[in-house]
Amino acid sequence: FLQRHQSINMAEVEPDINALKISAKAAAAQDDNTPANAGEVGSVEVWRIEDFEKVPLPPDECGQFYDGDSYVILYTYTKPPSTTKEYIIYFWQGNYSSQDEEGASALHATELDEKLGGTPVQVRVTQGKEPRHFRAIFHGSMVIHAGGKASGFKNVDDVDEEDTDGIALYHVYGTNSENTYGIHAEEKAASLTSRDCFCLAYGKTVYLWIGKGSNDAEEIAASKIAEILKKKLYCRKIQKVKEGKEPARFWKGLGGKGDYPKERHSQYELAHPRLFHCSNFTGFLQVEEILDFAQSDLNDDDVMILDAGVALYLWIGTGANEQEKSKAEETAKEYVADADTKLTKKASIVTIQSGKEPACFTQYFAGWEDDFFERNKWVDPVAKMEEEAKAAAAEAKDDLPLEPTTAYAKEVFAEKDKAIDHDKPVINPEAYYDLTHGKDDGKPKKSHEIDYAALHEKKVAETEDLVDDGNGKVEIWRIEDFQKVPVPKETYGQFYDGDSYIVLYTYTEPNSTTEKYIIYFWQGNHSSQDEKGASAIFTAVADEELGGLPVQVRVTQGKEPRHFRKIFKGAMIIRYGGVASGFNNTDEVDTVDTDHVELYHVYGKSDDVTMGVYVEEKAASLTSRDCFVLLCKRRTTLWVGSGSSEDEVAAAAKIAAIVSNGKMVSKVREGKEPASFWKALGGKGEYAKGRQATFALEDPRLFKCSDAIGAFSISEITPFAQEDLDDDDVMMLDTGGNVFVWVGKGANQDERDKSMDSAAKYIDASPHRKNKDKSIIVQCFSGEEPSVFTQFFPGWDPTLLEKTKFVDPYQKKLQAEKEAAEAVEPPAEPEPADQPKSLEIDPAHKELALSDSEFQETFKMTKDEFSKLPKWKQIQKKKEVGLF
């Protein structure tokens, strides 16, 4: 498939159909990251959010939820033979739950986490996206009802809601205790579908309707839901009803007999329908499968493909563009034509417009809501308040006011009336503050209680109990032209930041001969999108080839887990460059450093953490706290910073021996550098010097300071990289001597103010700092970071935030159209016959059109010096001056 699309334009790149053929088994693997049912003994406690408080539910109601509410669920379990209690805190949010209830559920989950010592795992669950383990803890008795408690805010007019007309229809999904649940559906015939079972509570009877397409396991699972509804709704009996043999009273409860999706016409049974998201947001069409999908996954700005077995549905969102529509249709046709998809060549492709979905499509989405997209449409809160104020003003004019009776009173009222602008909407400031800030009565919420002493208790991202000591068998492949190519064993541990890799690790546990597997897929920061996608696909394929036994772990550059680093025994190196993208229509070329000068920042002092990372060859990249390896054409220099320890020097020597490739390595201490050292770095310059710590901090620590959950909180990020600096929040970096408060451009004033105060409290709570008054709090701002700050982020990229900044695609499109319109020039005047024709400029080499003086002024070097630079550096220079 890919070979057929090598010479087309980038904007028309096709998705890989082979990727769509990979089974949805990955969903199960992803879902099993919480404890499974095997051997665990657990208990469940459930609270519902009512008026900002969590109210416990009776044990017999655990598993029953209302779609207008939010809940906190604590699952406590042990894994025999261990008696240690472990916890998972779920906070479940219904589709109609109010904003304040959702916020309160998150806040109470955090408080419960802290109450239990910070050991629980927190999982946010939204209606329709419940993971398998969440459903399993209720043992097939999970039911979602319509209605809920009113909002806790006093200024909203919602009221407690519950279905009280004595008629309720429930769509039952699942075949066992792990996946069964019932969800309230609209009481009408069109809600039915032959492929499933339904429960209709009407009067004193629960009708268990069994569709022709359902099997025995589904019927048994639905019977359990029927028993729950019988007790919940005070019914007297359960009556089983086979499709086609319904009594008249059954149809009466649904408002009369009507059409609904009948039977399954597919020649094969698709156990689980599959949903694919098609979007050209990145510039070319990408197709991604959505696992455990719900109606909320239908993106109204794009195109979706639903493989239901009986047909392939092409769902067109109202905001989808023409390219997405045409390319998605081509993809759907190719998907159907592909023999491996199990669909016959004659399978139909049904195109559906958003808002006009037929029942044969909606049956695959639990609890389908016709007004879902209209209800979830974003509304400007200011515009909403102004509209409501205008409506209130209009309504007030219609009321009969109290008329003044005396002449004097009439005169006073007339003067006051002239001073009032009746057309100007009146906005209640407290109501507006509540709406936009989520606060009650205009009063700020109480600050989240922060235990500063607990922040000093070092937390580790990966568990200390590693699967093994890293001495297992290792196999590595690099992604090249959409294929995985074996990497020579002598280069194991060396990665290029422009590539993606697959690492298969095989090991056995003590006293066992059974082989176990971990598949890591490592993605460099400058790896192309197609390489990253191919690495994920080949990982899934390798997983299937090994019978689904491996654990899959995605690893991004700078965020390598300890076990990943440990298997390379302190010899992990990230080098510059990589192979070009597999797409022929891109202008990428294979990149590698060819000027024979490379600088590596080495950090770590044991084989658990040691890495060497390529950094720019300049003095500013150095820092006194670490060691660096400078690789030149004829020599290799190990530069030892004054703040590095002997263990760090020993670890750096190992990296130096690898990159030197047999050349002699000379050790140079900071301050004793020869002139040749600085010459290789482009000249002597300023860099972050010396450690000023009043106590030894083994590793710097990064904290995020944010009020995103409604209250100010501080959380540690470990391990951290530059990508973790959130430009919408404030970050706190503890380096031992200093505490840096990094302020993102989008941080609000409350976060800025509280972060400085929190930094002081954090220092005061330190059990290590003896001279706390000598610790300095340094505030720095996004985009203006000093070298004493950036030294703690290996491979610091000053342009990273600009590169990753979100760009509104609509605004980008408008800007592109505007620039294109401005670029249109009137036809050029014909040149006089006696003047020579102007030379045509090669767009790939615009710099050649510059004169020698212009070239020198633009690039700060001569054309001859420029031509001697390696290809990648020429491209980088042209990008810097806008000539690429």
Side-chain angles (χ1 to χ4, degrees), residues 71-109:
Y71 298 77
V72 177
I73 301 94
L74 172 63
Y75 180 65
T76 307
Y77 65 99
T78 59
K79 285 189 173 181
S82 172
T83 57
T84 303
K85 287 185 178 181
E86 298 185 47
Y87 308 95
I88 303 175
I89 301 174
Y90 294 102
F91 48 109
W92 185 92
Q93 299 169 345
N95 285 343
Y96 292 91
S97 179
S98 65
Q99 195 70 35
D100 61 280
E101 289 171 336
E102 292 179 356
S105 68
L107 188 58
H108 282 297

mmCIF file of all heavy atoms in Angstrom, residues 71-109:
data_model
loop_
_atom_site.group_PDB
_atom_site.id
_atom_site.type_symbol
_atom_site.label_atom_id
_atom_site.label_comp_id
_atom_site.label_asym_id
_atom_site.label_seq_id
_atom_site.Cartn_x
_atom_site.Cartn_y
_atom_site.Cartn_z
ATOM 1 N N TYR A 71 -19.235 10.862 41.176
ATOM 2 C CA TYR A 71 -19.019 9.940 42.295
ATOM 3 C C TYR A 71 -17.531 9.751 42.561
ATOM 4 O O TYR A 71 -16.702 9.928 41.666
ATOM 5 C CB TYR A 71 -19.631 8.567 41.998
ATOM 6 C CG TYR A 71 -21.135 8.567 41.803
ATOM 7 C CD1 TYR A 71 -21.704 9.006 40.619
ATOM 8 C CD2 TYR A 71 -21.996 8.110 42.811
ATOM 9 C CE1 TYR A 71 -23.080 9.005 40.430
ATOM 10 C CE2 TYR A 71 -23.363 8.100 42.628
ATOM 11 C CZ TYR A 71 -23.910 8.559 41.439
ATOM 12 O OH TYR A 71 -25.272 8.544 41.269
ATOM 13 N N VAL A 72 -17.221 9.377 43.800
ATOM 14 C CA VAL A 72 -15.869 8.969 44.174
ATOM 15 C C VAL A 72 -15.952 7.519 44.630
ATOM 16 O O VAL A 72 -16.779 7.170 45.476
ATOM 17 C CB VAL A 72 -15.300 9.849 45.305
ATOM 18 C CG1 VAL A 72 -13.918 9.350 45.735
ATOM 19 C CG2 VAL A 72 -15.215 11.301 44.862
ATOM 20 N N ILE A 73 -15.103 6.653 44.047
ATOM 21 C CA ILE A 73 -15.118 5.229 44.353
ATOM 22 C C ILE A 73 -13.754 4.822 44.882
ATOM 23 O O ILE A 73 -12.732 5.034 44.213
ATOM 24 C CB ILE A 73 -15.477 4.373 43.101
ATOM 25 C CG1 ILE A 73 -16.847 4.756 42.563
ATOM 26 C CG2 ILE A 73 -15.422 2.892 43.431
ATOM 27 C CD1 ILE A 73 -16.825 5.785 41.453
ATOM 28 N N LEU A 74 -13.702 4.233 46.072
ATOM 29 C CA LEU A 74 -12.453 3.734 46.642
ATOM 30 C C LEU A 74 -12.467 2.218 46.579
ATOM 31 O O LEU A 74 -13.338 1.560 47.159
ATOM 32 C CB LEU A 74 -12.290 4.195 48.096
ATOM 33 C CG LEU A 74 -11.105 3.582 48.855
ATOM 34 C CD1 LEU A 74 -9.782 3.991 48.210
ATOM 35 C CD2 LEU A 74 -11.126 3.992 50.328
ATOM 36 N N TYR A 75 -11.501 1.656 45.856
ATOM 37 C CA TYR A 75 -11.361 0.204 45.769
ATOM 38 C C TYR A 75 -10.131 -0.194 46.568
ATOM 39 O O TYR A 75 -9.013 0.233 46.273
ATOM 40 C CB TYR A 75 -11.225 -0.234 44.311
ATOM 41 C CG TYR A 75 -11.065 -1.733 44.141
ATOM 42 C CD1 TYR A 75 -12.084 -2.607 44.499
ATOM 43 C CD2 TYR A 75 -9.888 -2.272 43.635
ATOM 44 C CE1 TYR A 75 -11.937 -3.973 44.351
ATOM 45 C CE2 TYR A 75 -9.729 -3.641 43.482
ATOM 46 C CZ TYR A 75 -10.770 -4.492 43.840
ATOM 47 O OH TYR A 75 -10.623 -5.848 43.690
ATOM 48 N N THR A 76 -10.338 -0.989 47.629
ATOM 49 C CA THR A 76 -9.266 -1.458 48.498
ATOM 50 C C THR A 76 -9.068 -2.948 48.267
ATOM 51 O O THR A 76 -10.036 -3.708 48.279
ATOM 52 C CB THR A 76 -9.626 -1.199 49.972
ATOM 53 O OG1 THR A 76 -9.980 0.181 50.142
ATOM 54 C CG2 THR A 76 -8.450 -1.535 50.874
ATOM 55 N N TYR A 77 -7.821 -3.365 48.056
ATOM 56 C CA TYR A 77 -7.602 -4.780 47.756
ATOM 57 C C TYR A 77 -6.239 -5.234 48.270
ATOM 58 O O TYR A 77 -5.360 -4.435 48.585
ATOM 59 C CB TYR A 77 -7.694 -5.031 46.248
ATOM 60 C CG TYR A 77 -6.606 -4.360 45.440
ATOM 61 C CD1 TYR A 77 -5.475 -5.064 45.019
ATOM 62 C CD2 TYR A 77 -6.692 -3.009 45.102
ATOM 63 C CE1 TYR A 77 -4.473 -4.444 44.290
ATOM 64 C CE2 TYR A 77 -5.688 -2.383 44.370
ATOM 65 C CZ TYR A 77 -4.587 -3.113 43.970
ATOM 66 O OH TYR A 77 -3.591 -2.494 43.247
ATOM 67 N N THR A 78 -6.099 -6.535 48.364
ATOM 68 C CA THR A 78 -4.823 -7.171 48.671
ATOM 69 C C THR A 78 -4.594 -8.276 47.669
ATOM 70 O O THR A 78 -5.547 -8.824 47.110
ATOM 71 C CB THR A 78 -4.814 -7.766 50.095
ATOM 72 O OG1 THR A 78 -5.867 -8.735 50.203
ATOM 73 C CG2 THR A 78 -5.001 -6.695 51.149
ATOM 74 N N LYS A 79 -3.330 -8.586 47.435
ATOM 75 C CA LYS A 79 -2.982 -9.686 46.527
ATOM 76 C C LYS A 79 -2.298 -10.778 47.333
ATOM 77 O O LYS A 79 -1.117 -10.660 47.655
ATOM 78 C CB LYS A 79 -2.053 -9.180 45.416
ATOM 79 C CG LYS A 79 -2.775 -8.361 44.362
ATOM 80 C CD LYS A 79 -1.848 -8.091 43.195
ATOM 81 C CE LYS A 79 -2.623 -7.427 42.062
ATOM 82 N NZ LYS A 79 -1.757 -7.165 40.891
ATOM 83 N N PRO A 80 -3.055 -11.843 47.707
ATOM 84 C CA PRO A 80 -2.457 -12.928 48.483
ATOM 85 C C PRO A 80 -1.207 -13.471 47.789
ATOM 86 O O PRO A 80 -1.166 -13.498 46.550
ATOM 87 C CB PRO A 80 -3.573 -13.975 48.523
ATOM 88 C CG PRO A 80 -4.827 -13.183 48.329
ATOM 89 C CD PRO A 80 -4.459 -12.082 47.403
ATOM 90 N N PRO A 81 -0.159 -13.862 48.520
ATOM 91 C CA PRO A 81 -0.160 -14.014 49.988
ATOM 92 C C PRO A 81 0.100 -12.719 50.755
ATOM 93 O O PRO A 81 0.146 -12.713 51.967
ATOM 94 C CB PRO A 81 0.987 -15.000 50.207
ATOM 95 C CG PRO A 81 1.939 -14.709 49.088
ATOM 96 C CD PRO A 81 1.083 -14.384 47.906
ATOM 97 N N SER A 82 0.284 -11.590 50.044
ATOM 98 C CA SER A 82 0.551 -10.330 50.733
ATOM 99 C C SER A 82 -0.700 -9.856 51.469
ATOM 100 O O SER A 82 -1.828 -10.074 51.024
ATOM 101 C CB SER A 82 0.977 -9.265 49.716
ATOM 102 O OG SER A 82 1.071 -8.008 50.335
ATOM 103 N N THR A 83 -0.493 -9.213 52.614
ATOM 104 C CA THR A 83 -1.614 -8.646 53.378
ATOM 105 C C THR A 83 -1.614 -7.127 53.309
ATOM 106 O O THR A 83 -2.423 -6.481 53.977
ATOM 107 C CB THR A 83 -1.529 -9.084 54.849
ATOM 108 O OG1 THR A 83 -0.264 -8.668 55.383
ATOM 109 C CG2 THR A 83 -1.657 -10.601 54.977
ATOM 110 N N THR A 84 -0.701 -6.570 52.511
ATOM 111 C CA THR A 84 -0.620 -5.111 52.381
ATOM 112 C C THR A 84 -1.805 -4.584 51.574
ATOM 113 O O THR A 84 -2.091 -5.067 50.475
ATOM 114 C CB THR A 84 0.686 -4.702 51.676
ATOM 115 O OG1 THR A 84 1.793 -5.234 52.413
ATOM 116 C CG2 THR A 84 0.801 -3.186 51.597
ATOM 117 N N LYS A 85 -2.467 -3.582 52.124
ATOM 118 C CA LYS A 85 -3.619 -2.996 51.413
ATOM 119 C C LYS A 85 -3.141 -2.042 50.323
ATOM 120 O O LYS A 85 -2.231 -1.242 50.546
ATOM 121 C CB LYS A 85 -4.518 -2.234 52.395
ATOM 122 C CG LYS A 85 -5.324 -3.128 53.313
ATOM 123 C CD LYS A 85 -6.271 -2.308 54.174
ATOM 124 C CE LYS A 85 -7.127 -3.195 55.062
ATOM 125 N NZ LYS A 85 -8.067 -2.400 55.889
ATOM 126 N N GLU A 86 -3.754 -2.156 49.163
ATOM 127 C CA GLU A 86 -3.493 -1.245 48.060
ATOM 128 C C GLU A 86 -4.806 -0.588 47.656
ATOM 129 O O GLU A 86 -5.888 -1.133 47.903
ATOM 130 C CB GLU A 86 -2.854 -1.995 46.882
ATOM 131 C CG GLU A 86 -1.505 -2.617 47.239
ATOM 132 C CD GLU A 86 -0.835 -3.244 46.029
ATOM 133 O OE1 GLU A 86 -0.792 -2.582 44.971
ATOM 134 O OE2 GLU A 86 -0.370 -4.395 46.127
ATOM 135 N N TYR A 87 -4.702 0.583 47.006
ATOM 136 C CA TYR A 87 -5.907 1.365 46.742
ATOM 137 C C TYR A 87 -5.944 1.897 45.312
ATOM 138 O O TYR A 87 -4.908 2.229 44.728
ATOM 139 C CB TYR A 87 -5.993 2.566 47.694
ATOM 140 C CG TYR A 87 -5.844 2.235 49.161
ATOM 141 C CD1 TYR A 87 -4.593 2.327 49.780
ATOM 142 C CD2 TYR A 87 -6.935 1.834 49.923
ATOM 143 C CE1 TYR A 87 -4.439 2.030 51.130
ATOM 144 C CE2 TYR A 87 -6.790 1.535 51.273
ATOM 145 C CZ TYR A 87 -5.537 1.638 51.867
ATOM 146 O OH TYR A 87 -5.400 1.340 53.183
ATOM 147 N N ILE A 88 -7.163 1.987 44.791
ATOM 148 C CA ILE A 88 -7.421 2.716 43.551
ATOM 149 C C ILE A 88 -8.587 3.658 43.834
ATOM 150 O O ILE A 88 -9.617 3.239 44.373
ATOM 151 C CB ILE A 88 -7.789 1.794 42.376
ATOM 152 C CG1 ILE A 88 -6.692 0.758 42.128
ATOM 153 C CG2 ILE A 88 -8.021 2.617 41.105
ATOM 154 C CD1 ILE A 88 -7.062 -0.252 41.067
ATOM 155 N N ILE A 89 -8.421 4.924 43.493
ATOM 156 C CA ILE A 89 -9.504 5.894 43.657
ATOM 157 C C ILE A 89 -9.999 6.285 42.273
ATOM 158 O O ILE A 89 -9.268 6.884 41.482
ATOM 159 C CB ILE A 89 -9.042 7.157 44.416
ATOM 160 C CG1 ILE A 89 -8.525 6.776 45.806
ATOM 161 C CG2 ILE A 89 -10.194 8.161 44.532
ATOM 162 C CD1 ILE A 89 -7.910 7.946 46.558
ATOM 163 N N TYR A 90 -11.245 5.911 41.973
ATOM 164 C CA TYR A 90 -11.879 6.325 40.725
ATOM 165 C C TYR A 90 -12.782 7.522 41.025
ATOM 166 O O TYR A 90 -13.454 7.547 42.069
ATOM 167 C CB TYR A 90 -12.759 5.212 40.146
ATOM 168 C CG TYR A 90 -12.024 3.970 39.695
ATOM 169 C CD1 TYR A 90 -12.005 2.821 40.473
ATOM 170 C CD2 TYR A 90 -11.374 3.936 38.471
ATOM 171 C CE1 TYR A 90 -11.353 1.670 40.053
ATOM 172 C CE2 TYR A 90 -10.722 2.790 38.035
ATOM 173 C CZ TYR A 90 -10.714 1.665 38.828
ATOM 174 O OH TYR A 90 -10.075 0.534 38.398
ATOM 175 N N PHE A 91 -12.808 8.525 40.150
ATOM 176 C CA PHE A 91 -13.866 9.539 40.269
ATOM 177 C C PHE A 91 -14.628 9.552 38.949
ATOM 178 O O PHE A 91 -14.105 9.931 37.919
ATOM 179 C CB PHE A 91 -13.363 10.916 40.716
ATOM 180 C CG PHE A 91 -12.167 11.471 40.004
ATOM 181 C CD1 PHE A 91 -12.291 12.543 39.131
ATOM 182 C CD2 PHE A 91 -10.897 10.947 40.224
ATOM 183 C CE1 PHE A 91 -11.178 13.073 38.495
ATOM 184 C CE2 PHE A 91 -9.779 11.478 39.584
ATOM 185 C CZ PHE A 91 -9.931 12.549 38.718
ATOM 186 N N TRP A 92 -15.877 9.086 39.026
ATOM 187 C CA TRP A 92 -16.742 8.870 37.862
ATOM 188 C C TRP A 92 -17.607 10.096 37.645
ATOM 189 O O TRP A 92 -18.214 10.625 38.587
ATOM 190 C CB TRP A 92 -17.604 7.637 38.096
ATOM 191 C CG TRP A 92 -18.469 7.212 36.937
ATOM 192 C CD1 TRP A 92 -18.164 6.325 35.966
ATOM 193 C CD2 TRP A 92 -19.810 7.649 36.653
ATOM 194 N NE1 TRP A 92 -19.208 6.161 35.090
ATOM 195 C CE2 TRP A 92 -20.240 6.980 35.480
ATOM 196 C CE3 TRP A 92 -20.686 8.542 37.259
ATOM 197 C CZ2 TRP A 92 -21.501 7.169 34.924
ATOM 198 C CZ3 TRP A 92 -21.942 8.735 36.704
ATOM 199 C CH2 TRP A 92 -22.339 8.046 35.550
ATOM 200 N N GLN A 93 -17.675 10.574 36.396
ATOM 201 C CA GLN A 93 -18.419 11.793 36.090
ATOM 202 C C GLN A 93 -19.427 11.512 34.984
ATOM 203 O O GLN A 93 -19.065 11.102 33.882
ATOM 204 C CB GLN A 93 -17.445 12.895 35.656
ATOM 205 C CG GLN A 93 -16.440 13.244 36.753
ATOM 206 C CD GLN A 93 -15.296 14.121 36.287
ATOM 207 O OE1 GLN A 93 -15.066 14.263 35.083
ATOM 208 N NE2 GLN A 93 -14.572 14.715 37.225
ATOM 209 N N GLY A 94 -20.713 11.705 35.314
ATOM 210 C CA GLY A 94 -21.779 11.467 34.347
ATOM 211 C C GLY A 94 -21.803 12.523 33.251
ATOM 212 O O GLY A 94 -21.302 13.634 33.433
ATOM 213 N N ASN A 95 -22.422 12.170 32.133
ATOM 214 C CA ASN A 95 -22.469 13.093 30.991
ATOM 215 C C ASN A 95 -23.216 14.384 31.312
ATOM 216 O O ASN A 95 -22.965 15.424 30.701
ATOM 217 C CB ASN A 95 -23.131 12.414 29.787
ATOM 218 C CG ASN A 95 -22.212 11.401 29.132
ATOM 219 O OD1 ASN A 95 -21.006 11.416 29.360
ATOM 220 N ND2 ASN A 95 -22.767 10.505 28.339
ATOM 221 N N TYR A 96 -24.166 14.333 32.255
ATOM 222 C CA TYR A 96 -24.960 15.520 32.595
ATOM 223 C C TYR A 96 -24.573 16.093 33.967
ATOM 224 O O TYR A 96 -25.276 16.940 34.498
ATOM 225 C CB TYR A 96 -26.453 15.177 32.596
ATOM 226 C CG TYR A 96 -27.000 14.870 31.226
ATOM 227 C CD1 TYR A 96 -27.011 13.562 30.744
ATOM 228 C CD2 TYR A 96 -27.502 15.874 30.401
ATOM 229 C CE1 TYR A 96 -27.511 13.271 29.482
ATOM 230 C CE2 TYR A 96 -28.003 15.592 29.141
ATOM 231 C CZ TYR A 96 -28.003 14.281 28.689
ATOM 232 O OH TYR A 96 -28.494 13.992 27.441
ATOM 233 N N SER A 97 -23.457 15.618 34.514
ATOM 234 C CA SER A 97 -22.999 16.138 35.801
ATOM 235 C C SER A 97 -22.588 17.595 35.629
ATOM 236 O O SER A 97 -22.007 17.979 34.616
ATOM 237 C CB SER A 97 -21.815 15.306 36.293
ATOM 238 O OG SER A 97 -21.334 15.781 37.521
ATOM 239 N N SER A 98 -22.882 18.436 36.631
ATOM 240 C CA SER A 98 -22.547 19.857 36.533
ATOM 241 C C SER A 98 -21.049 20.063 36.728
ATOM 242 O O SER A 98 -20.342 19.209 37.261
ATOM 243 C CB SER A 98 -23.323 20.657 37.585
ATOM 244 O OG SER A 98 -22.924 20.282 38.893
ATOM 245 N N GLN A 99 -20.579 21.241 36.314
ATOM 246 C CA GLN A 99 -19.150 21.553 36.400
ATOM 247 C C GLN A 99 -18.664 21.535 37.841
ATOM 248 O O GLN A 99 -17.566 21.059 38.125
ATOM 249 C CB GLN A 99 -18.897 22.937 35.777
ATOM 250 C CG GLN A 99 -17.427 23.221 35.486
ATOM 251 C CD GLN A 99 -16.881 22.389 34.353
ATOM 252 O OE1 GLN A 99 -17.593 22.112 33.404
ATOM 253 N NE2 GLN A 99 -15.634 21.961 34.455
ATOM 254 N N ASP A 100 -19.483 22.030 38.750
ATOM 255 C CA ASP A 100 -19.037 22.074 40.140
ATOM 256 C C ASP A 100 -18.959 20.677 40.743
ATOM 257 O O ASP A 100 -18.096 20.381 41.565
ATOM 258 C CB ASP A 100 -19.960 22.965 40.982
ATOM 259 C CG ASP A 100 -21.397 22.481 41.013
ATOM 260 O OD1 ASP A 100 -22.124 22.743 40.040
ATOM 261 O OD2 ASP A 100 -21.796 21.829 41.994
ATOM 262 N N GLU A 101 -19.863 19.770 40.329
ATOM 263 C CA GLU A 101 -19.819 18.395 40.826
ATOM 264 C C GLU A 101 -18.579 17.670 40.310
ATOM 265 O O GLU A 101 -17.930 16.928 41.055
ATOM 266 C CB GLU A 101 -21.085 17.647 40.402
ATOM 267 C CG GLU A 101 -22.332 18.112 41.126
ATOM 268 C CD GLU A 101 -23.617 17.524 40.548
ATOM 269 O OE1 GLU A 101 -23.618 17.136 39.365
ATOM 270 O OE2 GLU A 101 -24.620 17.465 41.279
ATOM 271 N N GLU A 102 -18.239 17.893 39.036
ATOM 272 C CA GLU A 102 -17.039 17.262 38.481
ATOM 273 C C GLU A 102 -15.791 17.766 39.197
ATOM 274 O O GLU A 102 -14.891 16.986 39.532
ATOM 275 C CB GLU A 102 -16.951 17.538 36.984
ATOM 276 C CG GLU A 102 -18.040 16.840 36.174
ATOM 277 C CD GLU A 102 -17.946 17.141 34.687
ATOM 278 O OE1 GLU A 102 -17.073 17.947 34.302
ATOM 279 O OE2 GLU A 102 -18.728 16.569 33.912
ATOM 280 N N GLY A 103 -15.725 19.078 39.420
ATOM 281 C CA GLY A 103 -14.572 19.639 40.125
ATOM 282 C C GLY A 103 -14.474 19.129 41.553
ATOM 283 O O GLY A 103 -13.383 18.811 42.038
ATOM 284 N N ALA A 104 -15.634 19.035 42.230
ATOM 285 C CA ALA A 104 -15.643 18.548 43.608
ATOM 286 C C ALA A 104 -15.208 17.090 43.682
ATOM 287 O O ALA A 104 -14.510 16.683 44.616
ATOM 288 C CB ALA A 104 -17.040 18.712 44.214
ATOM 289 N N SER A 105 -15.596 16.279 42.693
ATOM 290 C CA SER A 105 -15.200 14.857 42.706
ATOM 291 C C SER A 105 -13.685 14.731 42.582
ATOM 292 O O SER A 105 -13.069 13.902 43.252
ATOM 293 C CB SER A 105 -15.900 14.090 41.580
ATOM 294 O OG SER A 105 -15.429 14.496 40.300
ATOM 295 N N ALA A 106 -13.074 15.568 41.721
ATOM 296 C CA ALA A 106 -11.618 15.529 41.566
ATOM 297 C C ALA A 106 -10.924 15.980 42.853
ATOM 298 O O ALA A 106 -9.917 15.397 43.275
ATOM 299 C CB ALA A 106 -11.198 16.417 40.395
ATOM 300 N N LEU A 107 -11.488 17.020 43.491
ATOM 301 C CA LEU A 107 -10.898 17.544 44.721
ATOM 302 C C LEU A 107 -10.994 16.525 45.850
ATOM 303 O O LEU A 107 -10.031 16.276 46.574
ATOM 304 C CB LEU A 107 -11.602 18.846 45.115
ATOM 305 C CG LEU A 107 -10.989 19.640 46.268
ATOM 306 C CD1 LEU A 107 -9.550 20.005 45.958
ATOM 307 C CD2 LEU A 107 -11.793 20.882 46.555
ATOM 308 N N HIS A 108 -12.168 15.881 45.989
ATOM 309 C CA HIS A 108 -12.335 14.880 47.050
ATOM 310 C C HIS A 108 -11.476 13.651 46.791
ATOM 311 O O HIS A 108 -11.005 13.004 47.741
ATOM 312 C CB HIS A 108 -13.804 14.472 47.161
ATOM 313 C CG HIS A 108 -14.651 15.473 47.900
ATOM 314 N ND1 HIS A 108 -14.434 15.789 49.227
ATOM 315 C CD2 HIS A 108 -15.696 16.237 47.500
ATOM 316 C CE1 HIS A 108 -15.313 16.692 49.607
ATOM 317 N NE2 HIS A 108 -16.102 16.994 48.580
ATOM 318 N N ALA A 109 -11.252 13.310 45.519
ATOM 319 C CA ALA A 109 -10.367 12.185 45.198
ATOM 320 C C ALA A 109 -8.942 12.494 45.657
ATOM 321 O O ALA A 109 -8.248 11.632 46.208
ATOM 322 C CB ALA A 109 -10.401 11.899 43.698
#
